[in-house]
Amino acid sequence: MRDFLPADKARRERVLAVIRERYRAHGFDEIETPIMEEYARLHSGIGGDNEKLAYNVLKRGLDGAAITAAADSPADLTDLGLRYDLTVPLARFYASHRGELPSVFRSVQIAPVWRAERPQKGRYRQFMQCDIDIMGDASSRAEAELIVASLDTLDALGLEGASVRINDRRVLDWMLGHFGFSEAERPGVLITIDKLDKIRAEGVVAELRERGASEAAVDAFESFMRRPVTLEYSPFGERQVRKLLPDAVPDEIVAHLVGIGAAVSAARTTSTIVPGDIPLVFDPFLVRGMGYYTGTIFELAHPSVDYSLGGGGRYDGMIGRFLGGDVPAVGFSIGFERIVDLVKDAEDEASRSIVLVHDRDVAVAELLAIKASLVAEGLRVRLEVRTKNLKALLERASADGYSSFAIVSAGATSASLEIKPLT
């Protein structure tokens, strides 16, 4: 968990403002949920491995005897927990307020979440999530809307050139069945396949054999990975999808993916984007670790980094756990903590900021009159008493995001100031 100095906080808020504005422009409405949820809901099996990282809240009023008696059962000691993501709270929110929401609800949630991670670079115990979700729409339009809104948001942040790796959990399930893996062993097989980028096909095959997976199925998988593949480039579409899958893949799954691509292509065709240039890449072995995904899954990539900047997928079965009937739902989360480090500061904002360094004998009324005049012109203004080490003062102001300064003496006015750049 981290503190943020003023310059860092201002940077984060500028990025958040852009994200909120773009999502709102795409028709998503922001909601807010409590930071805590019931223990049973957070540990209902829909949060995957994140449930193991949940911060649980001790029941109020427990005495030593009660704590000792329940020492072997955490569920008896706690009744609440801090949210570890925003999807579980959203499912509860939708189930609670469905009657007050439109039949197709597009939500935005931007809020901190907490996970008991081991402290290391890039792993935080408190971090910001930025989620958009669509509930009530089972068509490929929902996925296309999420992808277009997310790509547009990255463009607005100056991160043009992003793409989306896309797959479908139904593709993975069909493919594992095609190779011969039983339903019981498929979850474990997927955990190993998810390491494909790190340990390559040879490592995956070796690990599957070590796990004791069906020998014939592993052989079929290995044979498929070794098959000859032409190196010609195929843009996202039916040809690319079928080329990367075994023969006889169900037509309806292919049609669903191709439909998403066509919709994204139509929305992304602008004066600066080549018509037909679809920023999607089909990845038949994209897994996404969350067990609640039921269909399309995707991850956000950018050429400047070798890690994903977000992801999501369809989770049609989750909300039904609270309502008793399935509701189609799909979501996309962009990795705010990763993105904020890539975004360049806006020069126009820095150019509209000034530090007024004043002598101690300048009257307060004069100072505030000058400051009010500059603020009315749209500038960001800070007052600082002149010190012996003026250089250190100005360096601090520059680090805080100010771009100019002026020395204020007694009798000065806003019109008489000599404004100088800090750098």
Side-chain angles (χ1 to χ4, degrees):
M1 300 182 188
R2 299 166 292 165
D3 293 323
F4 294 105
L5 293 170
D8 296 325
K9 177 63 175 175
R11 178 190 182 88
R12 292 169 68 87
E13 290 301 323
R14 285 196 293 270
V15 174
L16 286 172
V18 173
I19 293 172
R20 282 190 164 94
E21 188 276 327
R22 294 323 299 156
Y23 283 162
R24 182 173 178 81
H26 282 269
F28 291 84
D29 296 313
E30 189 166 2
I31 64 169
E32 183 175 328
T33 58
I35 69 170
M36 290 193 292
E37 294 284 344
E38 292 181 0
Y39 177 93
R41 183 172 296 113
L42 291 172
H43 295 269
S44 62
I46 61 179
D49 289 341
N50 290 333
E51 294 186 5
K52 301 174 184 177
L53 302 177
Y55 283 104
N56 302 315
V57 179
L58 196 68
K59 289 180 179 178
R60 277 67 57 207
L62 292 177
D63 57 20
I67 293 175
T68 301
D72 295 328
S73 178
D76 293 334
L77 291 171
T78 62
D79 56 356
L80 298 170
L82 296 179
R83 62 190 178 207
Y84 49 73
D85 72 3
L86 297 178
T87 305
V88 175
L90 175 63
R92 192 267 312 150
F93 172 92
Y94 184 82
S96 301
H97 301 282
R98 187 180 186 184
E100 306 163 64
L101 301 172
S103 57
V104 175
F105 179 53
R106 296 168 177 81
S107 75
V108 177
Q109 280 192 99
I110 300 177
V113 299
W114 292 265
R115 295 178 190 173
E117 296 274 10
R118 291 183 178 180
Q120 55 184 297
K121 183 178 180 180
R123 292 283 186 180
Y124 306 114
R125 291 179 171 177
Q126 176 179 318
F127 57 95
M128 189 74 70
Q129 281 196 335
C130 300
D131 288 12
I132 50 174
D133 295 80
I134 298 179
M135 286 142 285
D137 189 348
S139 73
S140 60
R141 181 186 72 174
E143 282 92 335
E145 280 198 72
L146 293 176
I147 291 171
V148 170
S150 298
L151 290 172
D152 182 41
T153 299
L154 258 66
D155 288 347
L157 290 169
L159 298 175
E160 296 91 346
S163 60
V164 175
R165 296 167 60 206
I166 188 168
N167 194 16
D168 196 303
R169 289 300 286 259
R170 295 171 297 172
V171 166
L172 286 166
D173 190 62
W174 172 84
M175 193 159 46
L176 295 187
H178 176 82
F179 293 143
F181 294 106
S182 67
E183 289 191 19
E185 62 183 337
R186 289 176 198 174
V189 171
L190 286 178
I191 291 174
T192 300
I193 289 179
D194 198 23
K195 304 175 184 178
L196 188 61
D197 288 343
K198 296 179 180 178
I199 63 177
R200 299 187 176 277
E202 297 80 5
V204 170
V205 169
E207 185 170 316
L208 289 175
R209 296 196 191 282
E210 291 174 6
R211 294 176 65 99
S214 301
E215 185 175 346
V218 177
D219 290 342
F221 171 77
E222 183 177 22
S223 177
F224 177 75
M225 297 302 291
R226 292 179 179 274
R227 77 197 189 286
V229 179
T230 58
L231 297 178
E232 63 176 324
Y233 170 72
S234 297
F236 185 86
E238 183 172 358
R239 184 179 180 185
Q240 184 189 88
V241 173
R242 292 192 183 277
K243 176 182 176 181
L244 297 175
L245 291 172
D247 294 336
V249 60
D251 292 337
E252 63 271 19
I253 300 178
V254 175
H256 180 76
L257 291 168
V258 172
I260 294 172
V264 171
S265 176
R268 295 285 292 174
T269 299
T270 68
S271 59
T272 59
I273 299 174
V274 178
D277 184 17
I278 309 175
L280 300 182
V281 177
F282 177 60
D283 183 350
F285 293 109
L286 175 64
V287 175
R288 298 284 299 169
M290 303 306 291
Y292 53 65
Y293 289 131
T294 58
T296 318
I297 49 178
F298 24 72
E299 285 191 350
L300 187 61
H302 193 270
S304 65
V305 292
D306 60 1
Y307 48 81
S308 70
L309 295 181
R314 183 168 282 280
Y315 52 96
D316 289 347
M318 183 187 292
I319 297 175
R321 297 193 181 194
F322 304 112
L323 284 176
D326 285 349
V327 173
V330 60
F332 202 125
S333 178
I334 60 173
F336 175 79
E337 305 297 349
R338 291 180 170 182
I339 286 174
V340 73
D341 291 334
L342 300 177
V343 176
K344 296 180 180 179
D345 286 326
E347 294 182 3
D348 58 334
E349 288 199 20
S351 66
R352 302 287 295 168
S353 57
I354 185 172
V355 175
L356 299 179
V357 182
H358 61 90
D359 296 329
R360 294 182 182 276
D361 61 348
V362 180
V364 173
E366 291 182 8
L367 282 175
L368 293 186
I370 294 172
K371 179 180 180 181
S373 176
L374 295 174
V375 168
E377 294 177 19
L379 274 72
R380 177 185 177 212
V381 185
R382 174 189 285 181
L383 297 175
E384 292 281 3
V385 177
R386 186 168 186 166
T387 60
K388 291 183 179 180
N389 192 346
L390 180 60
K391 181 180 178 181
L393 185 154
L394 297 180
E395 287 177 348
R396 178 71 264 170
S398 179
D400 289 342
Y402 289 85
S403 62
S404 58
F405 76 100
I407 303 298
V408 181
S409 301
T413 65
S414 59
S416 67
L417 294 178
E418 183 182 357
I419 300 176
K420 300 178 180 179
L422 277 171
T423 56

